[in-house]
Amino acid sequence: SGDIFDALLGGASDVSGVEKNMEDNVEKSVENVETTVEEKASPSQSLHHLTIDAIEEAFRFRAQNVTTSPLRLLDSNMEWFEVQYSVMKFADRFLEKYTKGSKKKNEEPTWTEEELQTIGGRIVGVLVRLDDLEWEWNHRVSTSTLGQPESPDMIPYNQWKSILGLHPDNVEQRCTKTLDMALLEEEDFARARAERMLALFLLCVEGPAMKASGNRSPDDSEVDFIQDS
């Protein structure tokens, strides 16, 4: 199903008008990503693993609906800036925990400051527009041959969570509580979902923003971590 996944993870030009607000504020999503037009060496190792770890952890924390550090709007009295602040604090704490852990082990810094800023910007970028990214991914999969019972490409519903990072039976749109419980209890589901959301963000938001501005991220916003494609 490699070609199918390639189509699902198409770039920003494939995003329909309904999801155009994914592109409207691209600068906000990548404002913490350090960029330059100068040539530079690629990172010594992929930035993606730590980024996906953070997003996966954020999914589980978000699913707990903690009112003191909300990663989503929990009620009508909550303001969006509260969520944005919590998201930025989550990213800061996650990277601080990582860097402190490396120092305690007397390890050499794995990434440069610029690369850590890029990782932090991606964590924030995915989480602040997660509703859009989740809707987009659900829409792409549901309207593809992967979700059509008569198609040879169809992925069985009991494998959707581990392969696609999606809950079957349109639970995505109908029952947030069921979705949250699955993210809390099923490690493969949370991991696969984190990978897909980061891939969509890089291909539909960060990558086009970098290209439009003439800048680049340390790894050129490449998506090389989806094994299915």
Side-chain angles (χ1 to χ4, degrees):
S1 60
D3 292 340
I4 302 298
F5 272 94
D6 287 341
L8 288 175
L9 291 169
S13 60
D14 295 322
V15 179
S16 68
V18 177
E19 296 79 45
K20 188 178 184 299
N21 58 348
M22 287 180 63
E23 303 171 9
D24 288 341
N25 298 308
V26 290
E27 292 182 1
K28 292 182 181 179
S29 298
V30 296
E31 60 185 359
N32 294 323
V33 179
E34 289 289 319
T35 61
T36 178
V37 294
E38 299 176 0
E39 290 298 321
K40 68 177 76 173
S42 298
S44 58
Q45 61 176 312
S46 174
L47 308 183
H48 298 318
H49 183 79
L50 186 62
T51 311
I52 294 167
D53 283 350
I55 296 170
E56 180 183 355
E57 184 174 312
F59 284 174
R60 293 199 178 91
F61 184 72
R62 185 176 187 256
Q64 297 174 50
N65 297 312
V66 178
T67 57
T68 53
S69 300
L71 298 188
R72 59 156 60 114
L73 290 172
L74 298 177
D75 57 54
S76 59
N77 296 319
M78 188 171 289
E79 300 288 345
W80 180 241
F81 76 83
E82 297 177 70
V83 176
Q84 292 175 307
Y85 177 79
S86 294
V87 165
M88 289 187 287
K89 293 301 293 183
F90 173 88
D92 287 343
R93 286 194 297 266
F94 183 90
L95 292 178
E96 182 180 8
K97 179 177 65 175
Y98 166 76
T99 53
K100 282 185 176 179
S102 296
K103 289 177 181 178
K104 287 182 179 178
K105 297 176 184 177
N106 294 318
E107 298 175 347
E108 290 294 321
T110 305
W111 288 287
T112 65
E113 184 64 26
E114 178 189 10
E115 291 164 357
L116 286 173
Q117 289 176 346
T118 299
I119 292 170
R122 289 173 178 173
I123 296 168
V124 172
V126 169
L127 295 179
V128 298
R129 58 181 60 245
L130 189 55
D131 288 341
D132 288 335
L133 293 169
E134 288 177 334
W135 191 96
E136 175 68 16
W137 183 240
N138 184 56
H139 174 72
R140 291 188 182 201
V141 171
S142 298
T143 57
S144 75
T145 55
L146 295 179
Q148 305 300 320
E150 68 279 3
S151 171
D153 299 316
M154 191 255 186
I155 293 178
Y157 289 143
N158 63 353
Q159 297 178 29
W160 271 41
K161 285 185 280 188
S162 61
I163 294 178
L164 298 172
L166 279 179
H167 203 299
D169 300 323
N170 202 33
V171 166
E172 304 280 330
Q173 307 300 318
R174 293 189 294 104
C175 186
T176 300
K177 184 176 181 179
T178 300
L179 181 63
D180 285 347
M181 289 301 298
L183 288 169
L184 286 169
E185 296 173 355
E186 301 176 44
E187 182 176 341
D188 289 347
F189 178 33
R191 188 71 179 182
R193 194 177 186 85
E195 290 178 348
R196 271 60 183 175
M197 295 306 101
L198 177 61
L200 273 186
F201 174 77
L202 294 175
L203 291 166
C204 298
V205 182
E206 183 185 291
M210 296 295 100
K211 184 177 180 180
S213 64
N215 296 321
R216 59 179 291 237
S217 62
D219 58 3
D220 292 323
S221 306
E222 290 185 356
V223 175
D224 55 8
F225 52 88
I226 304 292
Q227 297 180 353
D228 315 274
S229 57

